[in-house]
Amino acid sequence: MIQKLSETIQVSEFIRNFAADMYSLREAWVMMIGQLPFEQWDGRMYCQQTDAALTFRTNKTQGFVAAYSFTLVTEGWLTIVYNGQQLTLQPDDLYIYSPGLEVTVLAASENYRAICLLADEHLTIESPTVHDLVNIAYMPIVYLHEPKIALPHDDARRLEDKMHEIIGYLHSDHIYKSKILQMLYAVFLLDVQSAQTKAVSERRVPQRVEDIFIGFIRLLPQHFAEHHDIAFYAAALHISTVYLSRIVRQVTGRTVVDYINQHLLMEASYLLRTTSLSIAQIAAQLHFADAPSFSKFFSRKKGVTPKDYRARS
């Protein structure tokens, strides 16, 4: 028996309404499951075994989550649409999701089982293995044209063991749990890159490209509210605007402006949902020229005015 995606029209409408927004891992989890995985969860990392029913719930948030995820298939099969391309994942396939990529789960076998590791975007960017992450997250997309790697069985089991170890510490009361989880995540990323290196015969992303892209994604969270222009980030990295634009598009397929607007919209949505700041105050905090300019930006990207968005939240 095969489980299939239903209510395609409703899902498409959801995507149109929310495509401009991004949710934190914590927000996405509550939307999918209805409650936190355990009390006092900080929303930075989670790992669990999953099945077809749980996986279909990700259609509520796929493409809009500011988190990375690594899904290792252990049994059965799963079919997804990734950027218009249909892919089928089978046992020992590792599927890598990067923030903002558009994905829809289409079908899964009844016996589909996988183990999934999710990590907040900010936690990931600050990882000591962030250089490795750039290759891990984007190299398959740019050069292999698929966000998956068919792993040798032994490599798949090694990653599975690491993920189970992370699960154990997530549910422990170890006094150094947070630091241990960060270290285990770093080791996990290194193991993923090791497996990836076997799948790609030569290094495709030059070191200079990695350094520029990493520099940009480090600068963005610190300065997006004040600086909405490409020129600021290019100057900070000592390169031209044209070169920065080319690098970001080469690595991710997206534009610098896409990244800036994504962060502005995420912050604006958060402030509208969780604070009593006026629309004029939010506009000023995000360095828009005035409240009408902010409202025009928000309405264009979100499809609803800031006032209506706040009323519905």
mmCIF file of all heavy atoms in Angstrom, residues 271-311:
data_model
loop_
_atom_site.group_PDB
_atom_site.id
_atom_site.type_symbol
_atom_site.label_atom_id
_atom_site.label_comp_id
_atom_site.label_asym_id
_atom_site.label_seq_id
_atom_site.Cartn_x
_atom_site.Cartn_y
_atom_site.Cartn_z
ATOM 1 N N LEU A 271 8.305 40.267 14.876
ATOM 2 C CA LEU A 271 7.947 41.447 15.672
ATOM 3 C C LEU A 271 6.440 41.690 15.664
ATOM 4 O O LEU A 271 5.860 42.082 16.683
ATOM 5 C CB LEU A 271 8.686 42.676 15.143
ATOM 6 C CG LEU A 271 10.206 42.663 15.325
ATOM 7 C CD1 LEU A 271 10.847 43.847 14.599
ATOM 8 C CD2 LEU A 271 10.585 42.680 16.803
ATOM 9 N N LEU A 272 5.804 41.462 14.533
ATOM 10 C CA LEU A 272 4.355 41.641 14.459
ATOM 11 C C LEU A 272 3.614 40.604 15.296
ATOM 12 O O LEU A 272 2.585 40.901 15.902
ATOM 13 C CB LEU A 272 3.888 41.557 12.998
ATOM 14 C CG LEU A 272 4.239 42.757 12.111
ATOM 15 C CD1 LEU A 272 4.027 42.414 10.649
ATOM 16 C CD2 LEU A 272 3.394 43.971 12.510
ATOM 17 N N ARG A 273 4.161 39.391 15.345
ATOM 18 C CA ARG A 273 3.499 38.311 16.100
ATOM 19 C C ARG A 273 3.723 38.421 17.589
ATOM 20 O O ARG A 273 2.850 38.058 18.379
ATOM 21 C CB ARG A 273 4.014 36.948 15.633
ATOM 22 C CG ARG A 273 3.532 36.492 14.284
ATOM 23 C CD ARG A 273 3.770 34.990 14.091
ATOM 24 N NE ARG A 273 5.137 34.593 14.353
ATOM 25 C CZ ARG A 273 6.090 34.489 13.427
ATOM 26 N NH1 ARG A 273 5.803 34.786 12.176
ATOM 27 N NH2 ARG A 273 7.306 34.109 13.737
ATOM 28 N N THR A 274 4.897 38.872 18.007
ATOM 29 C CA THR A 274 5.288 38.689 19.409
ATOM 30 C C THR A 274 5.470 39.984 20.193
ATOM 31 O O THR A 274 5.754 39.926 21.386
ATOM 32 C CB THR A 274 6.600 37.897 19.485
ATOM 33 O OG1 THR A 274 7.647 38.648 18.839
ATOM 34 C CG2 THR A 274 6.461 36.536 18.801
ATOM 35 N N THR A 275 5.347 41.153 19.552
ATOM 36 C CA THR A 275 5.519 42.411 20.277
ATOM 37 C C THR A 275 4.314 43.322 20.051
ATOM 38 O O THR A 275 3.477 43.076 19.177
ATOM 39 C CB THR A 275 6.790 43.162 19.826
ATOM 40 O OG1 THR A 275 6.549 43.759 18.535
ATOM 41 C CG2 THR A 275 7.987 42.227 19.756
ATOM 42 N N SER A 276 4.259 44.385 20.844
ATOM 43 C CA SER A 276 3.201 45.385 20.690
ATOM 44 C C SER A 276 3.728 46.636 19.991
ATOM 45 O O SER A 276 3.073 47.682 19.999
ATOM 46 C CB SER A 276 2.624 45.756 22.058
ATOM 47 O OG SER A 276 3.649 46.258 22.906
ATOM 48 N N LEU A 277 4.920 46.543 19.400
ATOM 49 C CA LEU A 277 5.473 47.678 18.668
ATOM 50 C C LEU A 277 4.525 48.093 17.549
ATOM 51 O O LEU A 277 3.922 47.248 16.877
ATOM 52 C CB LEU A 277 6.832 47.315 18.068
ATOM 53 C CG LEU A 277 7.991 47.062 19.040
ATOM 54 C CD1 LEU A 277 9.210 46.560 18.276
ATOM 55 C CD2 LEU A 277 8.334 48.340 19.811
ATOM 56 N N SER A 278 4.410 49.394 17.332
ATOM 57 C CA SER A 278 3.583 49.880 16.232
ATOM 58 C C SER A 278 4.260 49.560 14.903
ATOM 59 O O SER A 278 5.470 49.284 14.845
ATOM 60 C CB SER A 278 3.365 51.381 16.357
ATOM 61 O OG SER A 278 4.580 52.067 16.127
ATOM 62 N N ILE A 279 3.483 49.639 13.842
ATOM 63 C CA ILE A 279 4.046 49.386 12.518
ATOM 64 C C ILE A 279 5.122 50.413 12.193
ATOM 65 O O ILE A 279 6.164 50.087 11.606
ATOM 66 C CB ILE A 279 2.931 49.382 11.462
ATOM 67 C CG1 ILE A 279 2.043 48.140 11.663
ATOM 68 C CG2 ILE A 279 3.510 49.400 10.046
ATOM 69 C CD1 ILE A 279 0.809 48.107 10.809
ATOM 70 N N ALA A 280 4.916 51.643 12.628
ATOM 71 C CA ALA A 280 5.931 52.689 12.410
ATOM 72 C C ALA A 280 7.210 52.373 13.178
ATOM 73 O O ALA A 280 8.324 52.588 12.665
ATOM 74 C CB ALA A 280 5.376 54.041 12.841
ATOM 75 N N GLN A 281 7.077 51.859 14.399
ATOM 76 C CA GLN A 281 8.259 51.506 15.194
ATOM 77 C C GLN A 281 9.016 50.337 14.572
ATOM 78 O O GLN A 281 10.252 50.317 14.552
ATOM 79 C CB GLN A 281 7.830 51.168 16.623
ATOM 80 C CG GLN A 281 7.409 52.369 17.445
ATOM 81 C CD GLN A 281 6.828 51.981 18.790
ATOM 82 O OE1 GLN A 281 6.046 51.030 18.896
ATOM 83 N NE2 GLN A 281 7.209 52.711 19.829
ATOM 84 N N ILE A 282 8.290 49.347 14.054
ATOM 85 C CA ILE A 282 8.935 48.213 13.392
ATOM 86 C C ILE A 282 9.644 48.683 12.131
ATOM 87 O O ILE A 282 10.777 48.275 11.846
ATOM 88 C CB ILE A 282 7.899 47.114 13.067
ATOM 89 C CG1 ILE A 282 7.355 46.497 14.360
ATOM 90 C CG2 ILE A 282 8.519 46.031 12.183
ATOM 91 C CD1 ILE A 282 6.235 45.511 14.155
ATOM 92 N N ALA A 283 8.998 49.577 11.378
ATOM 93 C CA ALA A 283 9.617 50.127 10.173
ATOM 94 C C ALA A 283 10.924 50.830 10.514
ATOM 95 O O ALA A 283 11.938 50.659 9.822
ATOM 96 C CB ALA A 283 8.651 51.093 9.488
ATOM 97 N N ALA A 284 10.915 51.586 11.606
ATOM 98 C CA ALA A 284 12.128 52.297 12.016
ATOM 99 C C ALA A 284 13.201 51.327 12.489
ATOM 100 O O ALA A 284 14.386 51.491 12.171
ATOM 101 C CB ALA A 284 11.794 53.290 13.129
ATOM 102 N N GLN A 285 12.803 50.291 13.227
ATOM 103 C CA GLN A 285 13.764 49.309 13.735
ATOM 104 C C GLN A 285 14.441 48.555 12.602
ATOM 105 O O GLN A 285 15.608 48.166 12.721
ATOM 106 C CB GLN A 285 13.044 48.336 14.683
ATOM 107 C CG GLN A 285 13.970 47.376 15.402
ATOM 108 C CD GLN A 285 13.274 46.691 16.570
ATOM 109 O OE1 GLN A 285 12.500 47.289 17.294
ATOM 110 N NE2 GLN A 285 13.551 45.413 16.751
ATOM 111 N N LEU A 286 13.702 48.353 11.513
ATOM 112 C CA LEU A 286 14.248 47.641 10.359
ATOM 113 C C LEU A 286 14.795 48.605 9.297
ATOM 114 O O LEU A 286 15.115 48.176 8.186
ATOM 115 C CB LEU A 286 13.180 46.731 9.749
ATOM 116 C CG LEU A 286 12.698 45.595 10.665
ATOM 117 C CD1 LEU A 286 11.613 44.769 9.972
ATOM 118 C CD2 LEU A 286 13.848 44.693 11.084
ATOM 119 N N HIS A 287 14.880 49.883 9.656
ATOM 120 C CA HIS A 287 15.522 50.895 8.806
ATOM 121 C C HIS A 287 14.860 51.071 7.445
ATOM 122 O O HIS A 287 15.552 51.256 6.430
ATOM 123 C CB HIS A 287 17.008 50.591 8.660
ATOM 124 C CG HIS A 287 17.779 50.816 9.921
ATOM 125 N ND1 HIS A 287 18.505 51.961 10.170
ATOM 126 C CD2 HIS A 287 17.927 50.047 11.037
ATOM 127 C CE1 HIS A 287 19.061 51.889 11.367
ATOM 128 N NE2 HIS A 287 18.728 50.739 11.916
ATOM 129 N N PHE A 288 13.520 51.024 7.433
ATOM 130 C CA PHE A 288 12.797 51.431 6.234
ATOM 131 C C PHE A 288 12.635 52.949 6.280
ATOM 132 O O PHE A 288 12.669 53.559 7.355
ATOM 133 C CB PHE A 288 11.432 50.746 6.166
ATOM 134 C CG PHE A 288 11.510 49.315 5.699
ATOM 135 C CD1 PHE A 288 11.767 48.293 6.605
ATOM 136 C CD2 PHE A 288 11.344 48.994 4.361
ATOM 137 C CE1 PHE A 288 11.858 46.980 6.184
ATOM 138 C CE2 PHE A 288 11.425 47.680 3.924
ATOM 139 C CZ PHE A 288 11.686 46.668 4.832
ATOM 140 N N ALA A 289 12.438 53.569 5.128
ATOM 141 C CA ALA A 289 12.350 55.029 5.069
ATOM 142 C C ALA A 289 11.191 55.547 5.907
ATOM 143 O O ALA A 289 11.305 56.579 6.580
ATOM 144 C CB ALA A 289 12.205 55.491 3.617
ATOM 145 N N ASP A 290 10.076 54.808 5.882
ATOM 146 C CA ASP A 290 8.902 55.209 6.653
ATOM 147 C C ASP A 290 7.952 54.020 6.723
ATOM 148 O O ASP A 290 8.191 52.963 6.108
ATOM 149 C CB ASP A 290 8.206 56.433 6.034
ATOM 150 C CG ASP A 290 7.974 56.290 4.532
ATOM 151 O OD1 ASP A 290 7.670 55.155 4.085
ATOM 152 O OD2 ASP A 290 8.112 57.285 3.815
ATOM 153 N N ALA A 291 6.865 54.189 7.483
ATOM 154 C CA ALA A 291 5.898 53.102 7.658
ATOM 155 C C ALA A 291 5.253 52.674 6.335
ATOM 156 O O ALA A 291 5.088 51.469 6.092
ATOM 157 C CB ALA A 291 4.831 53.510 8.675
ATOM 158 N N PRO A 292 4.866 53.611 5.447
ATOM 159 C CA PRO A 292 4.297 53.179 4.158
ATOM 160 C C PRO A 292 5.253 52.320 3.331
ATOM 161 O O PRO A 292 4.838 51.356 2.686
ATOM 162 C CB PRO A 292 3.967 54.507 3.458
ATOM 163 C CG PRO A 292 3.736 55.466 4.575
ATOM 164 C CD PRO A 292 4.732 55.078 5.635
ATOM 165 N N SER A 293 6.557 52.665 3.349
ATOM 166 C CA SER A 293 7.532 51.861 2.598
ATOM 167 C C SER A 293 7.615 50.446 3.163
ATOM 168 O O SER A 293 7.670 49.468 2.403
ATOM 169 C CB SER A 293 8.914 52.522 2.654
ATOM 170 O OG SER A 293 8.903 53.786 2.062
ATOM 171 N N PHE A 294 7.632 50.333 4.499
ATOM 172 C CA PHE A 294 7.652 49.019 5.128
ATOM 173 C C PHE A 294 6.392 48.235 4.793
ATOM 174 O O PHE A 294 6.461 47.047 4.446
ATOM 175 C CB PHE A 294 7.792 49.161 6.644
ATOM 176 C CG PHE A 294 7.498 47.892 7.396
ATOM 177 C CD1 PHE A 294 8.353 46.796 7.321
ATOM 178 C CD2 PHE A 294 6.353 47.790 8.170
ATOM 179 C CE1 PHE A 294 8.076 45.615 7.999
ATOM 180 C CE2 PHE A 294 6.065 46.610 8.857
ATOM 181 C CZ PHE A 294 6.931 45.522 8.771
ATOM 182 N N SER A 295 5.234 48.878 4.896
ATOM 183 C CA SER A 295 3.966 48.191 4.621
ATOM 184 C C SER A 295 3.898 47.710 3.180
ATOM 185 O O SER A 295 3.408 46.598 2.901
ATOM 186 C CB SER A 295 2.786 49.126 4.913
ATOM 187 O OG SER A 295 2.730 49.439 6.286
ATOM 188 N N LYS A 296 4.415 48.529 2.261
ATOM 189 C CA LYS A 296 4.433 48.127 0.852
ATOM 190 C C LYS A 296 5.324 46.908 0.648
ATOM 191 O O LYS A 296 4.953 45.956 -0.056
ATOM 192 C CB LYS A 296 4.912 49.293 -0.007
ATOM 193 C CG LYS A 296 4.886 49.014 -1.501
ATOM 194 C CD LYS A 296 5.327 50.246 -2.293
ATOM 195 C CE LYS A 296 5.293 49.971 -3.784
ATOM 196 N NZ LYS A 296 5.734 51.162 -4.570
ATOM 197 N N PHE A 297 6.516 46.922 1.268
ATOM 198 C CA PHE A 297 7.431 45.775 1.183
ATOM 199 C C PHE A 297 6.772 44.525 1.771
ATOM 200 O O PHE A 297 6.769 43.461 1.134
ATOM 201 C CB PHE A 297 8.717 46.090 1.945
ATOM 202 C CG PHE A 297 9.581 44.888 2.240
ATOM 203 C CD1 PHE A 297 10.449 44.390 1.294
ATOM 204 C CD2 PHE A 297 9.509 44.254 3.481
ATOM 205 C CE1 PHE A 297 11.246 43.270 1.557
ATOM 206 C CE2 PHE A 297 10.297 43.143 3.760
ATOM 207 C CZ PHE A 297 11.159 42.652 2.798
ATOM 208 N N PHE A 298 6.222 44.629 2.964
ATOM 209 C CA PHE A 298 5.634 43.472 3.640
ATOM 210 C C PHE A 298 4.458 42.916 2.835
ATOM 211 O O PHE A 298 4.340 41.697 2.647
ATOM 212 C CB PHE A 298 5.176 43.868 5.045
ATOM 213 C CG PHE A 298 4.795 42.710 5.910
ATOM 214 C CD1 PHE A 298 5.733 42.091 6.727
ATOM 215 C CD2 PHE A 298 3.495 42.221 5.916
ATOM 216 C CE1 PHE A 298 5.390 41.004 7.523
ATOM 217 C CE2 PHE A 298 3.131 41.140 6.709
ATOM 218 C CZ PHE A 298 4.085 40.535 7.520
ATOM 219 N N SER A 299 3.596 43.802 2.357
ATOM 220 C CA SER A 299 2.415 43.361 1.604
ATOM 221 C C SER A 299 2.805 42.676 0.306
ATOM 222 O O SER A 299 2.197 41.673 -0.093
ATOM 223 C CB SER A 299 1.514 44.561 1.309
ATOM 224 O OG SER A 299 1.067 45.162 2.506
ATOM 225 N N ARG A 300 3.829 43.220 -0.361
ATOM 226 C CA ARG A 300 4.277 42.624 -1.624
ATOM 227 C C ARG A 300 4.847 41.226 -1.409
ATOM 228 O O ARG A 300 4.558 40.303 -2.172
ATOM 229 C CB ARG A 300 5.329 43.522 -2.276
ATOM 230 C CG ARG A 300 5.754 43.038 -3.662
ATOM 231 C CD ARG A 300 6.746 43.981 -4.315
ATOM 232 N NE ARG A 300 8.068 43.908 -3.705
ATOM 233 C CZ ARG A 300 8.608 44.856 -2.975
ATOM 234 N NH1 ARG A 300 7.927 45.972 -2.721
ATOM 235 N NH2 ARG A 300 9.821 44.723 -2.469
ATOM 236 N N LYS A 301 5.636 41.053 -0.348
ATOM 237 C CA LYS A 301 6.277 39.772 -0.102
ATOM 238 C C LYS A 301 5.347 38.768 0.563
ATOM 239 O O LYS A 301 5.432 37.562 0.311
ATOM 240 C CB LYS A 301 7.509 39.970 0.789
ATOM 241 C CG LYS A 301 8.633 40.771 0.138
ATOM 242 C CD LYS A 301 9.228 40.003 -1.030
ATOM 243 C CE LYS A 301 10.387 40.746 -1.646
ATOM 244 N NZ LYS A 301 10.962 39.996 -2.792
ATOM 245 N N LYS A 302 4.469 39.243 1.420
ATOM 246 C CA LYS A 302 3.648 38.360 2.242
ATOM 247 C C LYS A 302 2.248 38.160 1.689
ATOM 248 O O LYS A 302 1.586 37.189 2.021
ATOM 249 C CB LYS A 302 3.577 38.949 3.653
ATOM 250 C CG LYS A 302 3.031 38.011 4.702
ATOM 251 C CD LYS A 302 4.052 36.976 5.070
ATOM 252 C CE LYS A 302 3.594 36.171 6.275
ATOM 253 N NZ LYS A 302 4.557 35.104 6.592
ATOM 254 N N GLY A 303 1.788 39.106 0.861
ATOM 255 C CA GLY A 303 0.454 38.993 0.315
ATOM 256 C C GLY A 303 -0.623 39.466 1.269
ATOM 257 O O GLY A 303 -1.818 39.229 1.034
ATOM 258 N N VAL A 304 -0.222 40.141 2.338
ATOM 259 C CA VAL A 304 -1.167 40.650 3.323
ATOM 260 C C VAL A 304 -0.509 41.841 4.005
ATOM 261 O O VAL A 304 0.716 41.916 4.107
ATOM 262 C CB VAL A 304 -1.532 39.560 4.356
ATOM 263 C CG1 VAL A 304 -0.315 39.124 5.156
ATOM 264 C CG2 VAL A 304 -2.647 40.009 5.275
ATOM 265 N N THR A 305 -1.301 42.816 4.452
ATOM 266 C CA THR A 305 -0.718 43.990 5.109
ATOM 267 C C THR A 305 -0.200 43.620 6.489
ATOM 268 O O THR A 305 -0.655 42.635 7.089
ATOM 269 C CB THR A 305 -1.770 45.098 5.266
ATOM 270 O OG1 THR A 305 -2.787 44.665 6.174
ATOM 271 C CG2 THR A 305 -2.396 45.458 3.926
ATOM 272 N N PRO A 306 0.757 44.393 7.033
ATOM 273 C CA PRO A 306 1.229 44.129 8.387
ATOM 274 C C PRO A 306 0.107 44.117 9.413
ATOM 275 O O PRO A 306 0.080 43.290 10.328
ATOM 276 C CB PRO A 306 2.217 45.277 8.642
ATOM 277 C CG PRO A 306 2.662 45.703 7.301
ATOM 278 C CD PRO A 306 1.499 45.508 6.381
ATOM 279 N N LYS A 307 -0.829 45.035 9.271
ATOM 280 C CA LYS A 307 -1.956 45.118 10.202
ATOM 281 C C LYS A 307 -2.802 43.851 10.153
ATOM 282 O O LYS A 307 -3.162 43.275 11.202
ATOM 283 C CB LYS A 307 -2.820 46.334 9.869
ATOM 284 C CG LYS A 307 -4.001 46.534 10.811
ATOM 285 C CD LYS A 307 -4.794 47.775 10.426
ATOM 286 C CE LYS A 307 -6.007 47.945 11.347
ATOM 287 N NZ LYS A 307 -6.777 49.160 10.982
ATOM 288 N N ASP A 308 -3.112 43.367 8.960
ATOM 289 C CA ASP A 308 -3.926 42.158 8.823
ATOM 290 C C ASP A 308 -3.146 40.922 9.303
ATOM 291 O O ASP A 308 -3.725 40.011 9.890
ATOM 292 C CB ASP A 308 -4.374 41.970 7.374
ATOM 293 C CG ASP A 308 -5.420 42.993 6.961
ATOM 294 O OD1 ASP A 308 -6.031 43.605 7.867
ATOM 295 O OD2 ASP A 308 -5.620 43.191 5.746
ATOM 296 N N TYR A 309 -1.845 40.902 9.015
ATOM 297 C CA TYR A 309 -1.017 39.767 9.461
ATOM 298 C C TYR A 309 -1.029 39.678 10.989
ATOM 299 O O TYR A 309 -1.179 38.603 11.559
ATOM 300 C CB TYR A 309 0.407 39.922 8.954
ATOM 301 C CG TYR A 309 1.334 38.826 9.405
ATOM 302 C CD1 TYR A 309 1.375 37.590 8.750
ATOM 303 C CD2 TYR A 309 2.180 39.012 10.506
ATOM 304 C CE1 TYR A 309 2.225 36.577 9.168
ATOM 305 C CE2 TYR A 309 3.038 38.014 10.926
ATOM 306 C CZ TYR A 309 3.048 36.793 10.258
ATOM 307 O OH TYR A 309 3.881 35.805 10.694
ATOM 308 N N ARG A 310 -0.858 40.820 11.644
ATOM 309 C CA ARG A 310 -0.885 40.843 13.114
ATOM 310 C C ARG A 310 -2.231 40.392 13.645
ATOM 311 O O ARG A 310 -2.306 39.636 14.617
ATOM 312 C CB ARG A 310 -0.547 42.239 13.612
ATOM 313 C CG ARG A 310 -0.745 42.429 15.099
ATOM 314 C CD ARG A 310 -0.180 43.764 15.548
ATOM 315 N NE ARG A 310 1.233 43.634 15.908
ATOM 316 C CZ ARG A 310 2.032 44.676 16.145
ATOM 317 N NH1 ARG A 310 1.563 45.925 16.038
ATOM 318 N NH2 ARG A 310 3.300 44.481 16.510
ATOM 319 N N ALA A 311 -3.304 40.812 13.020
ATOM 320 C CA ALA A 311 -4.657 40.441 13.478
ATOM 321 C C ALA A 311 -4.902 38.949 13.358
ATOM 322 O O ALA A 311 -5.627 38.346 14.166
ATOM 323 C CB ALA A 311 -5.700 41.218 12.690
#
